[in-house]
Amino acid sequence: MNDASKDALRSNRLSGMLFLLGTEQVRALLDQQESGRKRWKVSNLHLLWVIVGFGLFANKSYRNLFRLTTGVMAPPTRAAICVARKRLSAETLRQIHDAVVGWIATPKKCPQAFYKGLRLIGIDGTLLDCFDSDANREQFHRPTNQSGHGAFPKLRLVTLCELGSRVLQRSVIGSYHDCERVLAEKLFPQLSPNCLLLGDRHFGVAPIICRLINDKVPFLIRVKKGHIFRVEERLA
């Protein structure tokens, strides 16, 4: 990818972020975080842009990212932005996420996200390193083996992804010791009979399959070779 393509990609990411996080619905949620004290240096909206912007522009500094997202050529000091980050609670960010993120593909604009009228949804899990603090070690735990503890606490993330658009619509976070399949069931209320859920063989277990059948959610999940099923139809 040449420099021009990279600049265009960054511009598209930035414009998309500012469009989604500048709606009246987002502003209303942020207003609930305001106290009687007036915020002069960093507004909650600008603060939100900076926090989300770090996921899109990881190589930018605090002040450069503030300048990029807000257009303010004389941004606050790094210390002021660091202090301001503590204002927005995790619950507020979760509410904003749930208000903004949803299924976006349409059969006309993104036909690859559908199969025979069903919206293609993938489910999978992964492990992510956390900052090595006492609170994170207690909450998420560190992996262990015969040599001792791992370097970092790890959280287990299970997410639903709209295939085609690649939107991570909903996610659930657990500790290193939580079962991926148990966490996955917390995401099933997001599914409907209009979806086709795709999963790997780790999700091919009775509790998940029975839950999906009861919810009338179509699914296509690989299973391990050791499972024995009655053959209903042998396909070509």
Side-chain angles (χ1 to χ4, degrees):
M1 184 180 292
N2 56 36
D3 291 341
S5 299
K6 291 180 180 178
D7 290 340
L9 179 60
R10 294 190 189 101
S11 178
N12 289 337
R13 287 177 174 177
L14 179 61
S15 60
M17 184 192 76
L18 298 181
F19 173 76
L20 291 174
L21 298 181
T23 63
E24 290 300 323
Q25 187 177 18
V26 171
R27 293 174 187 269
L29 290 171
L30 291 174
D31 288 343
Q32 298 175 11
Q33 291 289 303
E34 292 285 359
S35 64
R37 181 183 175 186
K38 190 170 182 178
R39 310 296 182 183
W40 289 99
K41 294 184 178 180
V42 185
S43 70
N44 280 342
L45 183 60
H46 289 171
L47 181 59
L48 177 65
W49 291 350
V50 170
I51 292 174
V52 177
F54 272 119
L56 302 176
F57 307 98
N59 60 331
K60 298 291 184 181
S61 67
Y62 270 118
R63 302 191 76 217
N64 285 339
L65 189 56
F66 191 94
R67 186 183 297 112
L68 177 66
T69 56
T70 66
V72 177
M73 300 312 296
T77 64
R78 182 180 184 278
I81 300 175
C82 288
V83 172
R85 284 191 69 181
K86 300 177 182 179
R87 290 207 310 265
L88 293 184
S89 66
E91 177 61 21
T92 299
L93 295 177
R94 185 192 67 78
Q95 292 175 3
I96 292 173
H97 172 275
D98 292 349
V100 170
V101 180
W103 311 127
I104 65 171
T106 62
K108 183 176 181 180
K109 293 184 177 181
C110 190
Q112 65 270 28
F114 296 86
Y115 176 74
K116 294 187 180 298
L118 297 175
R119 187 182 301 273
L120 297 177
I121 307 298
I123 187 169
D124 208 351
T126 189
L127 290 171
L128 299 176
D129 289 339
C130 299
F131 177 72
D132 189 16
S133 66
D134 292 338
N136 282 343
R137 284 194 294 270
E138 181 178 355
Q139 177 70 29
F140 298 113
H141 311 291
R142 289 188 295 176
T144 59
N145 57 25
Q146 64 274 14
S147 301
H149 292 285
F152 296 97
K154 288 184 178 291
L155 65 83
R156 191 176 298 278
L157 177 73
V158 182
T159 186
L160 290 177
C161 176
E162 182 181 55
L163 305 181
S165 69
R166 302 181 183 179
V167 169
L168 302 183
Q169 197 261 2
R170 288 293 184 273
S171 300
V172 61
I173 294 175
S175 73
Y176 175 76
H177 297 300
D178 286 332
C179 177
E180 189 174 273
R181 290 170 292 187
V182 174
L183 295 175
E185 291 191 61
K186 297 180 180 180
L187 297 170
F188 289 172
Q190 302 296 326
L191 301 173
S192 71
N194 297 323
C195 299
L196 175 59
L197 182 68
L198 307 181
D200 63 22
R201 65 190 65 188
H202 188 67
F203 298 98
V205 294
I208 287 181
I209 291 175
C210 291
R211 171 74 181 274
L212 293 172
I213 291 175
N214 291 335
D215 293 344
K216 295 181 172 55
V217 176
F219 62 90
L220 183 61
I221 298 177
R222 299 178 66 188
V223 295
K224 298 179 180 179
K225 291 190 293 185
H227 290 185
I228 300 176
F229 296 97
R230 177 173 58 87
V231 177
E232 294 187 354
E233 180 182 356
R234 190 171 298 279
L235 304 178

